[in-house]
C-alpha cells in the first residue's frame, strides 16, 4: 500500500517519470541517509562473494580437518548439514551485529526490517532458512527480477528489505 502511494506521489510530481525512476525512489528510514532497493544483480554478486568467503572455507575445514578426507565427507550424513548450520550461524551473527555480510558490504547493501530497524540474531537465523527454501523453489530467488520492491520470497516471508545506500560522488 505504501509503495502505491509513493509511486503516485512521484508520478504526480513529474508526469513523464519513467518506470526506472519509480523503482529508484528512495526509502526513507531516517533523514540522514537515503536507501534504495538492491537490484537482483547486486544481490546475486553479494551472494557469490559470501559463498566463497564464508561457506567454502567452512566446507574445506570440515572436509579436511574435522572429517579427514573428501570421500569421508561425501559419505558423511552430518558433514554437509553441519556446514550449512555453521554458515547460517555466521551469516546471522554478521547480520545481527553489522547488518551485512562481506558480500553485501562489498556492494554497500544492508538487510533491514521494513520499518528500518536492524534484524536480530534469531530473526536473521530464521531468515537464512527462509533463504534456503527460496533457493529450493528457484522462483523465490528470482522474484526480485519482476517485483518493483525487489523482494525475494524470504524477504516477503520475514518482512525484510535488502537496501543499498545512495552513492556519494
Amino acid at each position: 500500500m505504501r509503495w502505491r502511494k509513493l509511486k503516485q506521489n512521484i508520478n504526480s510530481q513529474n508526469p513523464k517519470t519513467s518506470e526506472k525512476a519509480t523503482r529508484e525512489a528512495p526509502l526513507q528510514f531516517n533523514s540522514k541517509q537515503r536507501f534504495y532497493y538492491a537490484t537482483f544483480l547486486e544481490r546475486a554478486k553479494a551472494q557469490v562473494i559470501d559463498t566463497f568467503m564464508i561457506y567454502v572455507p567452512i566446507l574445506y575445514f570440515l572436509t579436511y580437518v574435522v572429517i579427514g578426507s573428501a570421500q569421508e565427507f561425501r559419505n558423511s550424513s552430518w558433514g554437509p548439514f553441519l556446514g550449512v548450520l555453521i554458515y547460517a550461524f555466521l551469516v546471522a551473527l554478521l547480520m545481527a551485529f553489522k547488518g551485512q555480510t562481506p558480500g553485501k558490504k562489498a556492494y554497500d547493501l544492508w538487510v533491514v526490517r521494513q520499518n528500518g530497524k536492524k534484524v536480530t540474531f534469531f530473526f536473521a537465523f530464521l531468515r537464512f532458512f527462509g533463504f534456503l527454501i527460496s533457493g529450493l523453489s528457484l522462483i523465490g530467488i528470482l522474484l526480485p527480477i519482476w517485483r518493483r520492491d525487489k523482494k525475494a520470497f524470504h524477504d516477503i516471508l520475514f518482512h525484510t528489505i535488502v537496501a543499498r545506500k545512495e552513492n556519494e560522488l
Side-chain angles (χ1 to χ4, degrees), residues 82-134:
L82 186 61
V84 170
L85 200 61
I86 294 170
Y87 182 51
F89 178 79
L90 290 176
V91 166
L93 200 63
L94 289 168
M95 292 275 192
F97 288 109
K98 300 285 186 178
Q100 55 189 173
T101 58
K104 287 181 177 47
K105 186 176 179 92
Y107 292 98
D108 213 13
L109 304 178
W110 301 82
V111 176
V112 293
R113 292 184 178 207
Q114 283 181 341
N115 60 6
K117 294 183 180 179
K118 290 175 67 173
V119 295
T120 62
F121 173 79
F122 185 68
F123 190 83
F125 193 73
L126 290 177
R127 184 182 178 274
F128 178 83
F129 288 102
F131 168 74
L132 293 180
I133 292 168
S134 290

